[in-house]
Amino acid sequence: MQELTHYIDGAHVAGQADRTADIFNPATGEVQAKVPLASADEVDKAVAIAAAAQPAWAAVNPQRRARVMMKFVQLLNRDMDKLAEALSREHGKTLPDAAGDVQRGLEVVEYCIAAPQMLKGEFTDSAGPGIDMYSMRQPLGVTAGITPFNFPAMIPMWMFAPAIACGNAFILKPSERDPSVPLMLAELMEEAGLPKGILQVVNGDKEAVDAILDNPVIQSIGFVGSTPIAEYIYGRGCSNGKRVQCFGGAKNHMIIMPDADMDQAADALVGAGYGAAGERCMAISVAVPVGDDTADRLIEKLIPRVEALKVGPYTSGNDVDYGPVVTAAAKANIERLVQTGIDQGAKLVVDGRNFSLQGYEDGFFVGAHLFDHATKDMDIYQTEIFGPVLTTVRAQTYEEALTLAMDHEYGNGTAIFTRDGDTARDFAARINVGMVGINVPIPVPLAYHTFGGWKKSVFGDLNQHGPDAFKFYTRTKTVTARWPSGIKEGGEFSIPVME
């Protein structure tokens, strides 16, 4: 049984609180490791170490901080296979999907190499008689991130890379379900030249989260997870005077117009709906074909594709489409919601309820499900299932399809598949969702744009990565300066003396 640790002040540190959580192998259902759950006192000690280390790091010029990011990128590429394997072992993702998790985080680190440019202030010469004005972007101090199980490499890097590039220290509280990769990332950052104490990993549950929320030294908190917890963290963190950025749940719609390429749309839906077993906040979980003919053609294309999906452990090779979900509780919740959909009248056209994988009967595998004729009052439409379940809601017109997506409480991502430019432009302009794809099923922006949803998918003013990250992890100071001219008639040839 592997015993994991925290990572404090440049060293692996055993937990002191005598509380642990089990880390499962999702493919077998077996406990493969234990992770310590930090007490509030352990969190406070890590914060104190970070606070002591941060001023010296902030004094390092941005170009030298960027060089640490350059080296970190090199090390991530060097250890890509090792990181992907560790991620797959605890999360259950296929190896290519796990490598993609690391890669999308790496791309944000690459963007952070631009810290010298992003941290430049503004200057106004002669704003008044003899007066100049300029602004400076300065680090906040100690910052923190609370990250989810579904992207244990990408989302931590989305947070700590810009925070550290800006001159902050960072406390990372990763998911207790798959914490090995975050611990490995902290080691790699120090190998890249980051001073001890600037990036620390504290494992834990709600006690650690509350300690982060209440610690007066921590200046900002980033979070990704479910909407109820996002609301809790945002409310408590803001009431404690912190800058808080929280990303919550999603129910992402993909609208399929009658003129869409049905093969392209079906392929996109299968990848976006079932990849990573649907455990993505940007997964497409609702297909909205416009018109019954469009719906019939789409379902006809989808059924054989969904039925042909290969489900298995990451050790079965790179041709596996998706692996197990993360826990037995997650599996039970997905199965409960599927049954609810049946009970409420949706038509289950691909039934994955009896899926079983020989040799892995105790694993957390869930078969692929496809619903048709669902309606917006059903639980499977309203709730984020976070599993391999695609729900089809038929719309008779474009306006009805648009209204479905706009009326839903979540507004993370959406997509439309069409050959008509007018429809696509109208959709992009009117939809009240933060990230929009046009013939692109998962519209996750690249690292130099910002990532963020609308409505109950986000709490806070600034998005993740891109230019917003440098705004979130710094505060602006504006200086107005006036100097005496010092110009005198004639020259002085004697040594000045104090009068």
Side-chain angles (χ1 to χ4, degrees), residues 42-57:
E42 288 174 287
V43 172
D44 291 345
K45 288 178 180 177
V47 173
I49 291 168
Q54 187 269 334
W57 175 243

Side-chain angles (χ1 to χ4, degrees), residues 121-122 133-139 243 474-480:
E122 298 174 324
M133 297 184 69
Y134 60 95
S135 64
M136 298 183 286
R137 288 202 167 275
Q138 295 188 319
R243 182 178 293 183
T474 58
R475 52 171 62 97
T476 302
K477 180 183 289 181
T478 304
V479 180
T480 302

Side-chain angles (χ1 to χ4, degrees), residues 156-371:
M157 284 191 275
W158 281 12
M159 293 183 187
F160 74 65
I164 290 170
C166 289
N168 300 289
F170 196 89
I171 305 293
L172 173 61
K173 206 300 288 182
S175 171
E176 62 272 27
R177 298 173 186 172
D178 47 9
S180 287
V181 169
L183 290 165
M184 295 166 71
L185 295 176
E187 290 180 316
L188 290 180
M189 279 293 287
E190 291 190 7
E191 185 179 347
L194 188 70
K196 299 181 189 304
I198 298 300
L199 174 59
Q200 303 185 92
V201 181
V202 180
N203 292 298
D205 54 7
K206 186 176 183 297
E207 182 175 346
V209 169
D210 287 345
I212 289 170
L213 293 173
D214 294 341
N215 188 292
V217 175
I218 293 175
Q219 298 298 301
S220 77
I221 297 170
F223 170 80
V224 176
S226 69
T227 287
I229 299 176
E231 289 181 301
Y232 170 77
I233 289 174
Y234 186 73
R236 186 160 172 170
C238 289
S239 69
N240 285 330
K242 304 184 191 305
R243 182 178 293 183
V244 187
Q245 172 194 66
C246 291
F247 293 80
K251 197 71 176 179
N252 303 320
H253 297 62
M254 183 172 127
I255 294 172
I256 303 96
M257 297 300 294
D259 66 344
D261 182 319
M262 285 301 142
D263 286 306
Q264 183 190 43
D267 286 340
L269 278 168
V270 169
Y274 300 96
E279 293 178 319
R280 293 171 175 161
C281 68
M282 289 298 288
I284 293 293
S285 53
V286 181
V288 186
V290 176
D292 285 329
D293 177 68
T294 306
D296 291 341
R297 288 187 289 131
L298 179 67
I299 293 295
E300 182 182 1
K301 297 283 188 183
L302 282 174
I303 288 174
R305 286 169 165 82
V306 176
E307 290 178 337
L309 288 171
K310 183 176 180 180
V311 184
Y314 76 92
T315 51
S316 293
N318 290 350
D319 61 337
V320 172
D321 293 306
Y322 72 85
V325 296
V326 70
T327 62
K331 177 181 178 179
N333 186 57
I334 295 163
E335 292 171 342
R336 177 187 63 80
L337 284 164
V338 168
Q339 188 59 49
T340 298
I342 296 168
D343 295 342
Q344 292 178 349
K347 183 179 179 181
L348 188 61
V349 294
V350 176
D351 186 350
R353 288 176 294 174
N354 295 322
F355 178 83
S356 181
L357 191 62
Q358 185 175 1
Y360 295 90
E361 290 82 2
D362 294 328
F364 310 140
F365 292 95
V366 178
H369 297 76
L370 174 63
F371 278 105

Side-chain angles (χ1 to χ4, degrees), residues 4-6 13-19 36-38 42:
L4 297 183
T5 63
H6 308 299
V13 177
Q16 303 299 312
D18 295 327
R19 294 190 309 123
L37 302 177
E42 288 174 287

Side-chain angles (χ1 to χ4, degrees), residues 111-134:
Y111 179 74
C112 291
I113 295 170
Q117 169 69 20
M118 298 304 299
L119 293 172
K120 287 196 305 185
E122 298 174 324
F123 184 89
T124 300
D125 164 68
S126 298
I131 295 174
D132 300 326
M133 297 184 69
Y134 60 95

Side-chain angles (χ1 to χ4, degrees), residues 400-413:
E400 182 185 347
L402 185 69
T403 301
L404 271 172
M406 292 186 71
D407 285 352
H408 203 284
E409 66 175 341
Y410 295 131
N412 210 42

